[in-house]
């Protein structure tokens, strides 16, 4: 699966929230002689509505009161010089930058919408990778190949897989007899996933399977035809993933062109 950076995930999450064009200079309310802009009110009200609040006099009055309280606290902070202390100036700069980034990405996503054809192509690709069969799997993970071979020898003598799994170094499945549940081969790293179709119901690997995690002894308990969810059901997730990829590529392109000294 394509790995998306945390930056791209955060950026696209911000880009989904649209912010209307705001009047920059108009004063909404004055607090101790200091103006609070209409744009601040409009932005705050828009955020509350985006979170599900119902617009009306009650919400508008609540937003007005909150802006007044914030301004009072900000004024007190400035009186104490906190706006110039330690990392506060940097934090303020980062906050301003985050707003600009969100505005830019909102505009970019609107100007470059993800097409339906791209989403359907990605859906078909995922379906192909999943394949037509999923497997109920157990495994035992150890550090050394000789340890895995010794486990296989014990299985050959009739010892129970679930009991031997207690020595696995996989904490997620060790206490459950090595059970990994139902998954398609594509859900696992290639050497592991590639071993599953080679095993019949009840069989285990006769040689250790090496991955970056160590050496595995794998048992297939059962198999069944897999039924991927319909396109419309997973379309929102596909849209989110495609947008993340789009923004990640945008950031890479900008970084490649940037002159950094």
């Amino acid at each position: 699966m394509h790995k998306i950076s945390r930056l791209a995930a955060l950026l696209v999450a911000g880009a989904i929230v649209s912010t209307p064009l705001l009047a920059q200079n108009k004063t909404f309310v004055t607090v101790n002689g200091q103006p609070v802009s209409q744009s601040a009110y409009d932005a705050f009200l828009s955020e509350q509505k985006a979170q599900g609040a119902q617009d009306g006099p009650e919400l508008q009055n609540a937003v007005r009161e909150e802006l007044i309280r914030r301004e009072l606290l900000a004024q007190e902070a400035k009186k104490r010089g906190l706006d110039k202390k330690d990392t506060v100036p940097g934090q303020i700069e980062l906050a301003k930058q985050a707003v600009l980034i969100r505005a830019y990405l909102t505009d970019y996503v609107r100007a470059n919408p993800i097409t339906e054809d791209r989403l359907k192509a990605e859906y078909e690709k995922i379906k192909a990778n999943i394949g037509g069969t999923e497997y109920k799997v157990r495994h035992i993970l150890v550090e050394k190949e000789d340890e895995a071979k010794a486990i296989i020898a014990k299985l050959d003598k009739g010892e129970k897989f679930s009991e031997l799994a207690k020595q696995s170094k996989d904490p997620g499945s060790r206490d459950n007899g090595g059970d990994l549940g139902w998954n398609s081969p594509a859900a696992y790293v290639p050497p592991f996933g590639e071993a599953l179709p080679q095993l019949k119901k009840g069989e285990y690997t006769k040689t250790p399977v090496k991955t970056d995690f160590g050496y595995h002894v794998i048992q297939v308990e059962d198999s069944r035809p897999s039924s991927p969810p319909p396109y419309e059901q997973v379309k929102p997730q596909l849209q989110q993933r495609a947008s993340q990829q789009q923004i990640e590529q945008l950031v890479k392109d900008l970084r490649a062109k940037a002159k950094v000294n």
Side-chain angles (χ1 to χ4, degrees):
M1 182 179 290
H2 180 77
K3 185 177 180 181
I4 304 298
S5 75
R6 188 168 183 272
L7 171 64
L10 290 173
L11 294 185
V12 75
I16 293 172
V17 181
S18 61
T19 304
L21 295 175
L22 305 173
Q24 295 296 321
N25 300 319
K26 185 177 178 182
T27 297
F28 171 68
V29 68
T30 301
V31 181
N32 292 333
Q34 295 298 318
V36 177
S37 69
Q38 180 70 38
S39 64
Y41 170 79
D42 290 342
F44 199 171
L45 183 64
S46 178
E47 287 180 3
Q48 297 306 304
K49 291 192 290 185
Q51 293 173 16
Q54 186 174 356
D55 195 8
E58 184 177 353
L59 175 63
Q60 293 167 13
N61 289 333
V63 168
R64 181 179 185 276
E65 184 60 27
E66 179 62 21
L67 288 173
I68 292 171
R69 292 179 181 183
R70 290 187 179 204
E71 178 59 29
L72 288 170
L73 291 171
Q75 288 178 14
E76 290 303 309
K78 289 178 181 178
K79 286 179 183 178
R80 294 174 180 268
L82 297 178
D83 57 327
K84 298 178 176 63
K85 186 177 180 180
D86 299 329
T87 63
V88 172
Q91 293 177 45
I92 292 172
E93 184 61 30
L94 288 173
K96 290 180 180 178
Q97 195 177 61
V99 173
L100 286 173
I101 290 171
R102 186 174 69 175
Y104 170 64
L105 292 177
T106 298
D107 182 71
Y108 181 83
V109 169
R110 284 175 178 169
N112 300 275
I114 304 297
T115 65
E116 191 78 7
D117 287 344
R118 177 176 171 180
L119 294 179
K120 288 183 177 179
E122 183 67 17
Y123 175 71
E124 293 301 325
K125 181 179 177 181
I126 291 173
K127 279 206 308 181
N129 288 336
I130 291 175
T133 306
E134 59 182 359
Y135 300 85
K136 191 174 190 303
V137 178
R138 292 180 184 270
H139 86 136
I140 303 169
L141 175 64
V142 291
E143 187 173 348
K144 298 179 181 179
E145 185 176 13
D146 287 344
E147 294 177 90
K149 288 181 177 179
I151 290 170
I152 292 170
K154 291 179 180 179
L155 290 170
D156 289 341
K157 293 178 181 179
E159 294 194 35
K160 291 184 177 180
F161 196 99
S162 57
E163 287 298 317
L164 293 171
K166 292 178 181 178
Q167 60 188 286
S168 176
K169 68 173 190 175
D170 175 12
S173 65
R174 178 177 57 213
D175 297 331
N176 196 26
D179 188 12
L180 295 175
W182 288 93
N183 282 295
S184 70
Y188 302 103
V189 291
F192 193 111
E194 289 165 1
L196 302 185
Q198 312 304 319
L199 298 171
K200 295 179 181 178
K201 180 177 178 179
E203 289 185 342
Y204 52 86
T205 50
K206 295 296 184 177
T207 58
V209 177
K210 185 179 184 302
T211 71
D212 291 339
F213 301 101
Y215 291 87
H216 306 258
V217 180
I218 305 168
Q219 182 185 52
V220 168
E221 286 196 302
D222 205 352
S223 64
R224 65 188 181 190
S226 63
S227 300
Y231 170 72
E232 290 299 330
Q233 181 178 329
V234 297
K235 182 178 177 180
Q237 291 90 337
L238 293 172
Q239 177 78 46
Q240 178 78 359
R241 183 168 179 265
S243 295
Q244 290 175 341
Q245 291 172 336
Q246 181 186 47
I247 289 175
E248 177 69 9
Q249 187 59 51
L250 169 65
V251 174
K252 286 182 179 178
D253 292 343
L254 291 173
R255 183 65 181 87
K257 297 175 184 176
K259 295 180 180 180
V260 180
N261 300 321

